[in-house]
Amino acid sequence: MVFGGGSGDLSRLTRRHGVKVGTGSLYTVEEVALAVGEKIGHGSVKSAARMHGAVVLFVDKVEQANRLVETGSALAGDSRQCCR
């Protein structure tokens, strides 16, 4: 499943805009994207997909990706590791 969260040109996004959430995540792509959207703003989540058991998201700004890596994503009290 892949979905685009906002409008705009996705070709301008680089690897630095990407964040991988929890290898082997038990949550759906939608649940992870909604939890991340609550932290950085739902319109800032530009794309999300499941890859190799993890959820990979691309966000609007590199600073937002950095913040997610520093703080993690909270899903139902479960703090999932975010990395690049």
Side-chain angles (χ1 to χ4, degrees):
M1 171 195 245
V2 178
F3 68 91
S7 60
D9 183 18
L10 298 181
S11 66
R12 70 173 182 75
L13 300 176
T14 66
R15 185 174 179 176
R16 294 181 63 201
H17 291 88
V19 177
K20 181 172 81 171
V21 180
T23 307
S25 176
L26 302 175
Y27 298 98
T28 67
V29 173
E30 183 178 14
E31 289 171 326
V32 174
L34 288 172
V36 168
E38 287 179 12
K39 286 190 125 181
I40 64 169
H42 295 286
S44 295
V45 178
K46 298 302 179 188
S47 177
R50 184 170 297 279
M51 294 180 159
H52 305 289
V55 176
V56 178
L57 299 112
F58 282 86
V59 297
D60 194 33
K61 298 178 183 168
V62 174
E63 295 79 20
Q64 293 167 326
N66 291 339
R67 185 171 25 168
L68 287 170
V69 170
E70 291 170 4
T71 62
S73 68
L75 294 161
D78 181 14
S79 181
R80 290 283 166 171
Q81 182 68 28
C82 294
C83 63
R84 293 230 164 111

